[in-house]
Structure formats: structure tokens, C-alpha cells
Amino acid sequence: MSRPGFDRWRRLSLALLVVSVVSLLAAAVVGVAVSDAEFGPGASSDSIEGLSQEDPNELTTSGGLSAYQRQLAERLASRARQASANLSSGDVDRARSLLDDTEYESVLSAYSNVSTGGQNESDVRALLRSSRLLGNYSTMVSGYWDTHRNYSILRNATTVFDIYRPVDRGVVVHPGAVATADERRRALFRQALDRNTTLTEFRRTTARDLLKLDERINETGAELISLYRNGSALGGNETSARAIRTSLANISETTREVREATFRETALRIESNAGRISAADPLTVTGRLRTANGTALEGRRIAIGTNETTSTTTDDDGAFSLTYWPVFHPSNTSTVRVQYVPNATAPYAAAETSINVTVERSKPTVAIEPLEGTVHYGDPVPVTGQVRGGEEGIPAVPVVATIDGRLLNRTETDGSGRFLINASLSGDVPAGEHTVRVRVRAENTTLRAANATTPLQVGESDTELSVSAPATADQTARVAGTLRLPDGTPVVAERVALLADGEPVSTVRTTANGTFETTISLPDDAASAGVLGGETQVSLEAVFEPGGGNLRPSRATATVTVARGPALLGLAGVGLALVAVAGVAVVWVRREDTTPPTGGSEQSDRSSETVATGRDPEWLLEHAGTELEDGQPDSAVMASYAACRQTLEAALSVDQPGTHWEFYTTCRTAGIEEDDLDTLLELTELYERAAFADDTVSADRGARAITLAEELADTHVDDEDHN
């Protein structure tokens, strides 16, 4: 059927749409030109003719920087030169004003937006890095000189009151008698009172703040100079580098003066077995700490290490001895630092020396003590032993204990390499003989994988179940009960099924003290008291069927009394309900008559097909991410586990409807790779906590579960593609 009027409106709408798009593009081009003309001082003289006519999609060329990129880069470099010059001359406020304003951020953002891809990508990244780094550098330099002004006030004061206002030596002025004081002195004076510190201690603490800032500034400045030398700032690099070097020199000289005026110099002398070291052959260091004139320093902290730190204190002769176990030594670091670390108010300067080493990986020895007797549900399983490198125990080694693949607990070794992994036996471990394995978790360490095992005998335990529910006059009943061992030990996080008159109505999980409580809906026929009312009895049953593990099943019954009034008054309501249903039916029939003959059923089919095919691992992982964003980490973990399980079932041709631990055992038996088995173990533990624990898992654990499931999916999808 022809619709001329509709066609005319459609053609008119299309024309209006085209005009709107053209207008928006023109406005965007003009906007770029105007905003570009407003960038920075002297922007009009630096602007490039014809720039506003360029297609934004063609601004980046494969051979280098486009005209627009180069203009933005030159403006960034110009700001860097000006700011660096101000830093070197001591005008820090001016430098920060050049780097902190919105105009500079706009140029930086614009450069970042148009400078992705192309052969000059490394230069682009370097320029962006140097621009951000220069801003951080100026902030730290500003903080340094601000702290130095505080230090100068403290150094020139002879009493705490002098902080408030300088006075002649020997004249004591109460702060209440002073008419004026600048804000800096007032704030410092208040800090001294709040800290309840002496003037000398306050001065030393402030001086140490300057030393720490100096160290950070030198690190940042060195990186900046390196970037400028590499030519990433498109001109003026050496000028900026020279300015930063001048700024660093001024700060270093000031820091030296503060150090010499405030602290007594110290000397750290050491001897070591430097060379090749490992967890089996650690680094041993002996030495002495003295002042510059040779006075021994007693009771001072000496630390050694990189990521991990071991420390000791000097004896009355200033001597010390340390052992460094390179368990977590960074792979890109070939030195170990030995430091004297004074406390904030100490009168002595810090001292440091480095030892060159070559760190090698080594396989430790794991010793585990046998477990005696039979353990039952809730009994402690104390797994003890030692991780050794050669004949000595290795400290801070991460270890994990499992029972036939089920996590028992994890810890790390103490200073002598010993460990105690203590946890209660859970109910999912079947009765019989099992193997307890203690494994060194070697990831991100210099250790190789190592483990040891010992047998464990598990016995069955009887359970006792109780259930009760008060009388009710409603269609629901509040049910409560307990699940415990005969000796009263609570059975935790186990499912109890509830039945009313033989019909399943609910499932509830026990709490940490073995109790459960929930509201159930009573069956309609069971809760009926007849037309004239009265009381009826509903048989309530609680059933614990563990389906494996070391707990025996148990049952308990109770009776719920349901009291109902006469039902005659409800007949009118029933009639009204029937009339309403009839009305809805009529409306539905009319709606069906007016429904277009095609399209509706297809949409319905498509929707049902999406639901039916959407719950594959990819859909589940997307759902997990959505749940995590919505503040539901438990749901995110469970969806991640479901995705992982589907992935492994397909990859290993496993189809088992068992529990999560039964599925883990099946995968282990099927010969899954050890790394994948570790991933599955961690994800299974997260699932167990999310599904069964009382507390909600953290958002970090939810994110971790998604990561683990994605790793497994990537691995096995790749395997399937290769096959």
C-alpha cells in the first residue's frame, strides 16, 4: 500500500539530518581553529596556515609528526624550556604556573589525542612522559624549598617560642604577649606544641624530610635529563636538560649544607661473601658503624635487602652481622644495599653501601613432620615442617598445604625456615586415607618448585539435627534449627533441606555456630483449614544429606500448627478475582487480534535464542564484570567460576555434575597442566568463599576471580584453535 504523505516526511527528515551533520562538522573545524589560536602566549604567531582545513583523521602521518602534532609538540617544548629556566633560577612559583594551568593541560591533552600510532610512537610517548614528569618535578621542588624555609626558621631559633617570632638571645617572650606573627611561623609553632617535641628534635625531623625530598627529586631529575638527551621533546632538549641540572645542583648543595649543619657524619664498613648467591647459599655481611672520628655507635639499626628487608642492631662496639636470603630479589637488580637507618630525631646521618651480587635460582628442600592418629570433622590438622636451603632454614618462604588438592591453609616460614599450617578439617574430605602436601609457591621468587607429603587418616562423624517452628496463622512459617556433632561441635556452612508435608520448600545453610533460620512458604493444601476455619498440622522435616565427605547424614522433624479463621468472607473476593481474570483474558484476545501478523514471533524467538546461547564462558565473564561494577563481588566470583568450569569441561571432555571439589579432583585426574591446576585451585577457593561464607568477598577478590577465569579461557581457547 502506497503512503505518499509518509514518504514526503521521510525525505524531509533525511534532508534535515544531512544539513545538521554538515553544520556540526563546520562548527567542529571552526572550533579547532579558534581553540588553537588561543593556546599560549604568542599562539597566533606560531599558528600554521591552513591548519583548520585539515581532516582530523589525517593529522597523523606514517612518516612522522603532522603539522598539527608538531605545533602542539613545539608549544609543550616551549613551556618546558620556560619552566626549566624558572626552576634553575629559583622562581619555582612561575615554573609551576606554567605547568599547572588549564591551558597547558589542554595542549597536552590535544597532543595525546592526535598522536597515537605511527612510526613516531616512541617519541610521542617520551614527550608525554617528559611533560608529565616535569610537572611532578616542579611540585617536588616547590615542596623542597617550602620545607627548607621551615627548616631555616627552626635553625635560627634558640627556643620553641622563637619559632613564633624571632627575639634576641636570652629574652623569653610568651606567645600570648606577641602582637603579630606570620602564618608560617604560627603554623610551625602550633606543630611544635602539638608534637610535644623539643626544638632540636623538630629541626632534625624537618632536616630528614629535606633529605628524603632530595632523593626523590634527584631520581625524577635524572629521568627527565635522560628523556631530554634522547631528543624526544622536539627541540630545546639540551637547554631544558642544562636547566634541570642547575636546579639539581642547587638543591644538592643546599641539602649538603643542611646535612652538615644538623647531623654528625657516620662511616659504615662491611665485609661479605659477595659473588654468586641464592636461597641455598645466602649473602652474609659483617661490619661496624662508627662516627667520622671513630666513635662506635651502639644500638643502631642496620638493614639489608631490596624488596624484602632484614635488620639488626649494632652491639657496644658498633659491630653487626646480617644474612640476606634473596627469596624475592628482583630479577633486574644486581646489587644489595646495606644501610644505617637512623630514627627521625637521631643526631647522626644515614650511611649506605652496596654489594654487587649475582643471584641464582635454587631448589629448596621441604621437610614435613608426619601426622599421627585419625582426625575428624572440626579437628585441627597441624602441619609443621621446615624449608631449607642446604642445612639452613630459609625465612619468608610462601608455602601452601592441601589435602588431595583441597586447600587447607597457607603461610610463610619464620626466621628459621619453619612453618606451622593449622586449620580445622572440613566436612568435604571423605573418610579414609589421604595425602597432605606442602608446596613452596615459587611464583615471583628465586626459588624452584618443591614439595613434601605425609599421609592423613580421616574418620567419619555422626551429626545431630534439630528443627522447630512456632504456630502460625499465615501461609509462611519461621523455621530454626541446629546442625552439630554429638559433642556439640557446630557443623558450619552445610546445606539443610526443608520439607513441608513431604514437599521440598527451601534449602538453608548453617552459620558459624551451626544454626540455621529461614522463612518458608507452606503448601496451599497443607495450610488449608477449611471453609469454617480451625487448626491444621503441617509436618516439617529437616534433612542433612552431605553426599560424600566425612559427615554422616541426619534428619529431624517437627510439627507446625496453622490456625485459620472462617473462609466464607473470602468467597466474594474469589468471585472478584475470577471476574478480573476474565477481563484480562478479553484484553489479551483483543491485543492478539491487533498484533501485526509478522515480526512479533520472530523477536520472541530471537530473545529466547539469546538467553539460550548467551550463557557460554564469554557471556558469563561479561556478566561477572557487570556484577562487579554493580557492587556484587560474590556474584562476580560465582559467574567467573561457572565460566571456568564450562571452559575446562569442554577442553577436557569432562561432564560431571559433582561439587566444586569433586570437579577439581576430576580435572587433576584428567592430567590438567600444573599451572592451570593452581589457577583452578585458587578460583575454586574463591568460589567456595563467595558461595558459602557468611561474609561477602572483597571487590579485589571479585576482580581476581575474573582474571583467573580469563587466563584459563585464553589458554584453552588457544589450545582448541591450534587443534
Side-chain angles (χ1 to χ4, degrees):
M1 178 178 176
S2 176
R3 294 178 296 175
F6 176 77
D7 291 339
R8 283 195 299 273
W9 277 108
R10 184 173 58 182
R11 287 195 295 272
L12 179 59
S13 300
L14 181 60
L16 289 173
L17 177 61
V18 171
V19 171
S20 299
V21 170
V22 171
S23 300
L24 287 172
L25 288 175
V29 171
V30 173
V32 168
V34 171
S35 61
D36 178 63
E38 293 175 351
F39 277 154
S44 58
S45 62
D46 294 338
S47 60
I48 299 175
E49 184 177 355
L51 178 62
S52 61
Q53 302 301 317
E54 291 193 44
D55 183 350
N57 293 322
E58 298 176 357
L59 286 176
T60 302
T61 65
S62 59
L65 297 178
S66 70
Y68 185 59
Q69 281 178 287
R70 187 171 296 279
Q71 183 188 34
L72 295 175
E74 288 292 354
R75 289 176 181 170
L76 291 174
S78 175
R79 281 293 182 97
R81 288 192 295 270
Q82 295 177 54
S84 300
N86 282 283
L87 287 170
S88 65
S89 66
D91 191 353
V92 181
D93 291 340
R94 175 57 182 163
R96 292 196 63 186
S97 69
L98 288 167
L99 301 172
D100 288 350
D101 64 0
T102 56
E103 181 182 295
Y104 179 76
E105 285 295 326
S106 297
V107 177
L108 190 58
S109 177
Y111 180 78
S112 176
N113 290 337
V114 301
S115 300
T116 56
Q119 297 178 4
N120 61 313
E121 179 69 19
S122 61
D123 284 345
V124 168
R125 288 197 302 268
L127 178 55
L128 291 173
R129 172 64 178 164
S130 64
S131 299
R132 298 292 186 189
L133 209 61
L134 183 59
N136 295 339
Y137 180 84
S138 67
T139 299
M140 287 189 289
V141 170
S142 176
Y144 178 91
W145 292 116
D146 187 66
T147 304
H148 186 265
R149 283 191 286 272
N150 292 343
Y151 171 80
S152 298
I153 293 173
L154 298 174
R155 182 181 177 183
N156 294 325
T158 55
T159 70
V160 172
F161 294 133
D162 293 350
I163 300 173
Y164 195 82
R165 192 185 73 173
V167 296
D168 294 335
R169 183 181 299 275
V171 178
V172 178
V173 178
H174 190 276
V178 180
T180 59
D182 63 35
E183 291 299 323
R184 180 180 298 277
R185 289 180 174 277
R186 183 179 291 110
L188 278 176
F189 178 73
R190 176 54 58 190
Q191 288 182 42
L193 295 183
D194 291 344
R195 295 183 182 186
N196 193 26
T197 184
T198 67
L199 178 63
T200 300
E201 290 175 342
F202 199 3
R203 185 187 301 126
R204 290 172 183 166
T205 301
T206 306
R208 292 203 193 282
D209 290 340
L210 284 172
L211 269 57
K212 292 175 184 176
L213 282 169
D214 174 80
E215 184 176 355
R216 291 173 54 201
I217 288 170
N218 272 280
E219 292 174 357
T220 305
E223 185 178 353
L224 262 177
I225 291 172
S226 176
L227 288 170
Y228 290 144
R229 283 176 174 172
N230 290 337
S232 62
L234 304 177
N237 300 325
E238 187 54 39
T239 300
S240 297
R242 282 198 303 270
I244 296 298
R245 280 195 292 268
T246 301
S247 170
L248 288 173
N250 292 337
I251 291 173
S252 295
E253 176 62 21
T254 302
T255 302
R256 184 190 63 78
E257 294 173 355
V258 169
R259 178 185 175 111
E260 292 178 354
T262 311
F263 305 113
R264 296 173 60 188
E265 289 298 326
T266 56
L268 186 62
R269 300 288 182 265
I270 63 168
E271 294 180 358
S272 70
N273 62 333
R276 295 184 179 276
I277 63 173
S278 67
D281 186 15
L283 175 67
T284 58
V285 178
T286 59
R288 278 186 169 80
L289 178 67
R290 301 178 184 273
T291 63
N293 62 6
T295 303
L297 295 178
E298 179 185 1
R300 304 294 165 173
R301 180 172 176 261
I302 307 295
I304 185 173
T306 49
N307 284 351
E308 73 269 36
T309 300
T310 302
S311 64
T312 188
T313 55
T314 57
D315 61 17
D316 56 1
D317 193 33
F320 62 89
S321 177
L322 281 168
T323 300
Y324 173 65
W325 301 86
V327 174
F328 299 100
H329 192 89
S331 58
N332 60 346
T333 304
S334 58
T335 60
V336 176
R337 293 194 304 174
V338 182
Q339 301 171 283
Y340 160 50
V341 186
N343 61 46
T345 59
Y348 303 105
E352 177 183 319
T353 186
S354 295
I355 305 172
N356 294 324
V357 296
T358 300
V359 179
E360 299 177 333
R361 298 193 69 189
S362 62
K363 184 172 183 177
T365 300
V366 182
I368 183 172
E369 298 177 7
L371 294 163
E372 304 292 343
T374 301
V375 296
H376 296 80
Y377 176 85
D379 289 345
V381 185
V383 182
T384 59
Q386 187 180 35
V387 178
R388 292 193 293 264
E391 298 300 321
E392 296 186 69
I394 308 176
V397 176
V399 292
V400 59
T402 57
I403 301 177
D404 286 348
R406 298 173 177 84
L407 176 67
L408 182 62
N409 213 336
R410 63 184 78 220
T411 187
E412 65 178 34
T413 58
D414 63 15
S416 61
R418 297 195 62 80
F419 59 84
L420 169 60
I421 301 177
N422 204 353
S424 299
L425 182 68
S426 60
D428 62 337
V429 181
E433 186 170 309
H434 298 272
T435 299
V436 174
R437 182 183 303 274
V438 174
R439 180 169 59 89
V440 169
R441 302 206 68 171
E443 299 89 348
N444 302 317
T445 72
T446 60
L447 300 172
R448 300 186 186 279
N451 65 81
T453 62
T454 186
L456 173 69
Q457 190 67 35
V458 176
E460 280 191 319
S461 298
D462 291 325
T463 61
E464 294 181 348
L465 192 60
S466 70
V467 65
S468 64
T472 181
D474 200 355
Q475 194 70 28
T476 62
R478 190 66 179 170
V479 180
T482 61
L483 179 62
R484 294 191 171 100
L485 302 187
D487 64 0
T489 300
V491 178
V492 180
E494 293 289 349
R495 291 187 180 275
V496 176
L498 299 175
L499 297 84
D501 281 350
E503 296 182 14
V505 291
S506 183
T507 301
V508 66
R509 189 174 297 279
T510 57
T511 64
N513 58 4
T515 63
F516 60 88
E517 187 174 2
T518 188
T519 299
I520 65 170
S521 296
L522 299 174
D524 292 339
D525 55 348
S528 175
V531 175
L532 299 178
E535 291 185 350
T536 186
Q537 306 293 320
V538 176
S539 176
L540 181 65
E541 186 176 15
V543 180
F544 171 55
E545 289 283 356
N550 55 69
L551 294 171
R552 294 192 178 100
S554 57
R555 293 170 177 263
T557 59
T559 300
V560 182
T561 300
V562 183
R564 290 292 177 87
L568 292 174
L569 296 177
L571 293 177
V574 172
L576 289 174
L578 291 175
V579 172
V581 170
V584 170
V586 170
V587 172
W588 178 258
V589 170
R590 290 182 177 178
R591 179 171 175 262
E592 287 293 308
D593 289 341
T594 58
T595 301
T598 60
S601 60
E602 291 182 7
Q603 180 63 36
S604 176
D605 291 342
R606 284 195 295 270
S607 299
S608 61
E609 180 182 356
T610 301
V611 172
T613 62
R615 283 161 174 75
D616 56 11
E618 183 177 355
W619 185 94
L620 288 166
L621 285 173
E622 291 180 0
H623 179 66
T626 301
E627 290 294 283
L628 187 62
E629 291 176 358
D630 291 343
Q632 301 294 330
D634 280 344
S635 297
V637 171
M638 288 187 277
S640 300
Y641 175 78
C644 160
R645 186 152 175 169
Q646 286 191 21
T647 299
L648 293 179
E649 284 175 349
L652 302 176
S653 299
V654 173
D655 184 13
Q656 183 197 37
T659 67
H660 49 293
W661 286 119
E662 289 170 345
F663 179 72
Y664 174 84
T665 302
T666 299
C667 290
R668 182 162 53 85
T669 305
I672 187 174
E673 294 290 336
E674 184 175 351
D675 290 343
D676 290 344
L677 191 63
D678 287 344
T679 301
L680 177 60
L681 174 61
E682 185 176 352
L683 187 53
T684 303
E685 294 166 6
L686 289 171
Y687 167 77
E688 187 172 61
R689 293 174 184 172
F692 305 134
D694 292 335
D695 298 332
T696 300
V697 301
S698 65
D700 289 343
R701 290 186 183 275
R704 175 61 177 166
I706 294 174
T707 300
L708 294 170
E710 288 175 341
E711 290 176 357
L712 280 173
D714 291 343
T715 300
H716 289 281
V717 168
D718 290 343
D719 291 343
E720 291 174 10
D721 292 341
H722 291 318
N723 291 333

